[in-house]
């Protein structure tokens, strides 16, 4: 029995020495790197199109059973929107190239103008700002409009009664 106990102790010492030498040669144990604490989420940018680095840098807060669903859902929705936007932009660019190759310069110019208008940030003119201000002053919700109903064919007009 004492020989078995001595064998186990020697095996543990040899295993510890092998592990120590391996850690020294490999530069460290990657499983022991510090983890970012909760509350350090890094959301996707909302002011410009997404890039590959934006996705790689995104971090979510952790919850009891994983990541915070609201943050993940928001990031997925933003990424889906950006992918769809870029897909539409590629379609417009392909249509513009096709129009240029076929010699339809007017169509290509129209597509180019629409593409540039969609890409450029909209800057409202003073007249547009006043229109937006007037729209803000209008009551919210549907406005009922009363239309004049024509009299039925067998009914005489109210003016002649």
């Amino acid at each position: 029995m004492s020989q078995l106990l001595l064998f186990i102790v020697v095996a543990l010492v040899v295993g510890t020495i092998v592990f120590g030498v391996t850690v020294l040669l490999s530069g460290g144990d990657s499983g022991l790197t510090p983890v970012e604490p909760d509350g350090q989420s890094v959301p996707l940018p909302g002011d410009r199109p997404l890039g590959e680095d934006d996705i790689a840098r995104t971090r979510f807060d952790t919850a009891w059973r994983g990541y915070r669903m609201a943050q993940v859902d928001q990031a997925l929705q933003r990424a889906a929107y950006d992918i769809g936007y870029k897909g539409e932009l590629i379609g417009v660019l392909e249509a513009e190239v096709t129009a240029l190759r076929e010699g339809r310069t007017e169509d290509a110019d129209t597509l180019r103008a629409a593409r540039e208008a969609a890409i450029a940030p909209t800057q409202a003119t003073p007249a547009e700002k006043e229109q937006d201000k007037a729209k803000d002053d209008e009551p919210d919700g549907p406005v009922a409009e009363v239309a004049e109903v024509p009299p039925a064919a067998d009914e005489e007009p109210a003016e002649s009664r």
Side-chain angles (χ1 to χ4, degrees):
M1 181 71 169
S2 64
Q3 289 180 346
L4 180 63
L5 184 62
L6 181 64
F7 178 75
I8 292 174
V9 170
V10 170
L12 286 174
V13 170
V14 170
T16 304
I17 291 172
V18 169
F19 177 76
V21 170
T22 305
V23 167
L24 286 175
L25 293 177
S26 67
D29 184 10
S30 62
L32 301 177
T33 57
V35 180
E36 291 183 27
D38 285 348
Q40 299 294 322
S41 67
V42 179
L44 293 173
D47 58 344
R48 60 182 170 77
L50 295 178
E52 184 178 344
D53 293 339
D54 296 328
I55 302 293
R57 279 186 296 220
T58 301
R59 298 285 179 257
F60 305 108
D61 290 333
T62 55
W64 183 61
R65 293 181 0 173
Y67 294 110
R68 302 227 179 258
M69 274 197 309
Q71 290 177 349
V72 174
D73 290 344
Q74 183 181 16
L76 287 174
Q77 185 178 17
R78 170 73 170 88
Y81 170 80
D82 204 59
I83 290 169
Y85 173 78
K86 288 180 180 180
E88 289 179 16
L89 184 61
I90 289 169
V92 170
L93 287 168
E94 287 174 345
E96 187 177 339
V97 168
T98 302
L100 285 171
R101 285 183 179 161
E102 293 175 356
R104 297 179 289 134
T105 56
E106 291 178 10
D107 292 341
D109 289 340
T110 303
L111 288 168
R112 181 185 48 79
R115 176 178 48 84
E116 289 174 352
I119 291 174
T122 58
Q123 295 184 3
T125 62
E128 290 173 341
K129 288 180 183 177
E130 286 183 26
Q131 288 176 354
D132 289 342
K133 192 175 185 182
K135 287 180 184 177
D136 291 341
D137 293 341
E138 292 178 4
D140 292 337
V143 177
E145 293 184 18
V146 179
E148 188 174 316
V149 179
D154 59 342
E155 188 178 310
E156 65 181 68
E159 298 162 349
S160 63
R161 285 189 221 164

